[in-house]
Amino acid sequence: MNLFVLSKTLLKSEQSNYSKPIVKITIAGVALGVTLMLLALFITAGYKKVIRDKMVSLGAHIRISSVEQNYSFDLMPFDRNQSFIDELAKNPRIKNMQFYATKVGILKAQDQVEGIVLKGIDSTFSWELFQTHIIAGNPLVYQSDSISNNILVSKTLASKLQLQVGDKVGAYFVQEPPRQRSFIVEGIYETGLPEMDARFVLTDLRHVQRLNDWEPSQVSGIEILINDYNQLDAIGQQVHNNIPYSLKAETIKQLYPNIFDWLALFDTNVLVLLIITIFVCIITMISTFFIIVLEQTKNIGILKTMGLNHKQVVKLFLIIASQLILRGLLWGNIIGLGIGILQMTFHIIPLDPATYYVSYIPIVINLFTLLWVNLLVFTACLLTLLIPAYYISKRISPIDAIRFDV
């Protein structure tokens, strides 16, 4: 006896008229649960990736700097021409190494002043991620034969100082003796991260070296970009073990612990949502299962008199449940992926960037996430039905079931 054909027959039989709306509600409930789970995971992954990329775009995954520092942006210099740098460059897990130097100063324009951190960069700086944040003007062009007076300022600073692309602005640095530099605004950027947008100004590395009276080979630090973020901690430890004791390597998690602790809360919230959603799906399936059993008791009794044994009855119940779960999964995937693709493409649902650091809900669709969510829901619901299916199958007597009248 083909149990798959039999299960479809029982679901479509005339006796299931009462349970048909219940079955539809169950399918809709599973579909809604899967949709919520997929969107929650896609949004969490997307949001964490966007925030990480924003932070990495102005810095890097790992930063090497001097151990002897005063915990400000005026870091102690070290020589960039060291043997460990060549060794790190050979590491296949490291994507890029860029050198930088920083200097605290004041930017003045239109009788307005703002404190800044002047970050000097050179030709090693990776524009791949940062260029997406430039909203006006152009990236800096590093000339090997001359020092550029161009700078990149944030939208926040440009708004406060009323600056536009092409404007001249003065920078002042409190030191002995005090120094002043004139710059030209080459471009305006916006990362959406207040801590960065409020202070960083990009310029030619050689400006900072001259302001600090450093040698051409001296820098404040080295920023390292890696290929796989999931290996951040391992690579960070490896880099730290391969540099001199006078230097230290810090990952982006260690540099900005508050932001990453905040992002970690997303995982906790999503976990709670997943547990609640799976629990609701299980309760819905169990309720529908008992309704179907109640309605099909007489048919099950007849089938037992025709030779259907206990194990076959259990399999029949599970096949019926599997069909309902799979229908719910199908619609849940269609709806979840549809909404996700629409949001990725058109950014339909906006956010307040002042609060969430992004102007829209970011989405990252991951095939592995899609597969394990479907497997989790299907397995959890089916395993939960094993006990009631086994118990009810043993309790159904052919004689009593035939006499049973709904």
Side-chain angles (χ1 to χ4, degrees):
M1 187 177 295
N2 193 318
L3 296 180
F4 290 95
V5 176
L6 183 58
S7 65
K8 291 182 179 181
T9 302
L10 290 177
L11 283 175
K12 294 180 179 180
S13 65
E14 294 182 358
Q15 291 182 330
S16 64
N17 289 332
Y18 173 76
S19 62
K20 282 182 179 178
I22 304 299
V23 168
K24 292 180 180 179
I25 292 174
T26 301
I27 294 173
V30 174
L32 179 60
V34 173
T35 299
L36 291 176
M37 292 172 69
L38 289 177
L39 290 178
L41 292 168
F42 291 161
I43 291 172
T44 299
Y47 194 81
K48 293 170 71 174
K49 182 179 184 302
V50 167
I51 298 300
R52 287 200 305 262
D53 288 348
K54 284 176 178 288
M55 299 178 67
V56 170
S57 65
L58 197 54
H61 294 103
I62 303 169
R63 187 184 75 179
I64 299 175
S65 59
S66 175
V67 172
E68 299 178 2
Q69 58 174 282
N70 54 8
Y71 297 98
S72 71
F73 289 100
D74 286 333
L75 305 179
M76 297 294 294
F78 62 90
D79 198 293
R80 63 189 290 176
N81 299 321
Q82 300 188 49
S83 58
F84 78 88
I85 295 177
D86 295 330
E87 294 298 321
L88 291 177
K90 298 176 183 178
N91 191 329
R93 298 191 293 180
I94 292 178
K95 184 178 181 180
N96 184 57
M97 291 194 302
Q98 54 197 34
F99 302 92
Y100 75 95
T102 54
K103 181 72 173 177
V104 176
I106 298 172
L107 212 59
K108 180 180 179 181
Q110 305 293 334
D111 296 328
Q112 299 291 326
V113 294
E114 288 292 333
I116 63 165
V117 176
L118 190 66
K119 181 176 181 178
I121 59 175
D122 61 8
S123 58
T124 60
F125 186 79
S126 176
W127 293 96
E128 182 180 352
L129 290 175
F130 189 81
Q131 191 164 1
T132 61
H133 301 311
I134 297 178
I135 58 177
N138 303 297
L140 298 179
V141 177
Y142 186 84
Q143 301 290 344
S144 59
D145 56 346
S146 62
I147 301 178
S148 172
N149 290 323
N150 294 337
I151 59 173
L152 281 180
V153 300
S154 68
K155 181 181 177 181
T156 302
L157 289 172
S159 177
K160 290 180 178 179
L161 299 176
Q162 301 179 16
L163 294 175
Q164 296 181 353
V165 175
D167 288 351
K168 292 184 178 181
V169 60
Y172 300 85
F173 304 92
V174 181
Q175 59 187 78
E176 288 297 334
R179 295 184 180 179
Q180 184 268 340
R181 292 289 186 274
S182 294
F183 295 106
I184 300 174
V185 178
E186 177 69 13
I188 299 174
Y189 72 87
E190 182 182 25
T191 66
L193 298 174
E195 291 185 4
M196 295 184 176
D197 289 349
R199 57 171 68 123
F200 282 101
V201 173
L202 300 185
T203 189
D204 194 314
L205 172 64
R206 290 165 291 191
H207 273 300
V208 179
Q209 290 173 330
R210 289 192 174 186
L211 286 167
N212 289 330
D213 294 324
W214 292 353
E215 296 296 327
S217 62
Q218 288 185 305
V219 294
S220 295
I222 306 172
E223 295 174 331
I224 298 176
L225 295 170
I226 63 176
N227 292 311
D228 186 0
Y229 176 81
N230 295 323
Q231 299 181 359
L232 175 64
D233 294 331
I235 299 176
Q237 186 61 45
Q238 181 184 10
V239 171
H240 184 75
N241 294 336
N242 291 326
I243 60 177
Y245 290 108
S246 59
L247 302 177
K248 63 178 180 179
E250 300 171 288
T251 67
I252 194 172
K253 292 180 180 179
Q254 295 168 326
L255 291 170
Y256 304 99
N258 293 336
I259 292 181
F260 281 90
D261 289 344
W262 174 61
L263 290 177
L265 293 176
F266 281 74
D267 295 331
T268 303
N269 295 336
V270 169
L271 179 61
V272 173
L273 176 62
L274 294 182
I275 293 174
I276 294 175
T277 305
I278 292 176
F279 182 76
V280 172
C281 290
I282 290 173
I283 294 299
T284 303
M285 283 302 307
I286 291 177
S287 302
T288 305
F289 174 78
F290 280 112
I291 292 175
I292 292 176
V293 169
L294 181 66
E295 198 169 54
Q296 300 295 340
T297 299
K298 188 173 183 179
N299 287 335
I300 297 300
I302 295 174
L303 291 172
K304 276 196 169 185
T305 61
M306 296 173 62
L308 203 67
N309 59 38
H310 169 62
K311 289 184 178 180
Q312 289 177 318
V313 173
V314 174
K315 289 182 179 179
L316 179 61
F317 286 153
L318 295 181
I319 290 173
I320 293 175
S322 298
Q323 293 178 3
L324 299 181
I325 297 171
L326 289 174
R327 292 180 194 177
L329 290 176
L330 176 62
W331 282 108
N333 288 326
I334 292 174
I335 298 172
L337 287 174
I339 295 175
I341 293 173
L342 286 175
Q343 179 63 19
M344 283 180 60
T345 306
F346 301 106
H347 302 162
I348 299 173
I349 306 175
L351 289 176
D352 181 8
T355 303
Y356 298 98
Y357 304 147
V358 290
S359 58
Y360 62 90
I361 294 180
I363 296 284
V364 170
I365 296 178
N366 185 283
L367 180 60
F368 176 75
T369 300
L370 184 68
L371 291 176
W372 77 256
V373 166
N374 283 272
L375 182 62
L376 176 65
V377 174
F378 182 82
T379 304
C381 291
L382 204 59
L383 289 178
T384 308
L385 295 176
L386 274 175
I387 296 177
Y390 181 84
Y391 176 79
I392 293 175
S393 175
K394 293 194 69 174
R395 298 286 295 181
I396 294 179
S397 169
I399 296 177
D400 294 337
I402 293 173
R403 293 175 179 176
F404 184 77
D405 187 7
V406 178

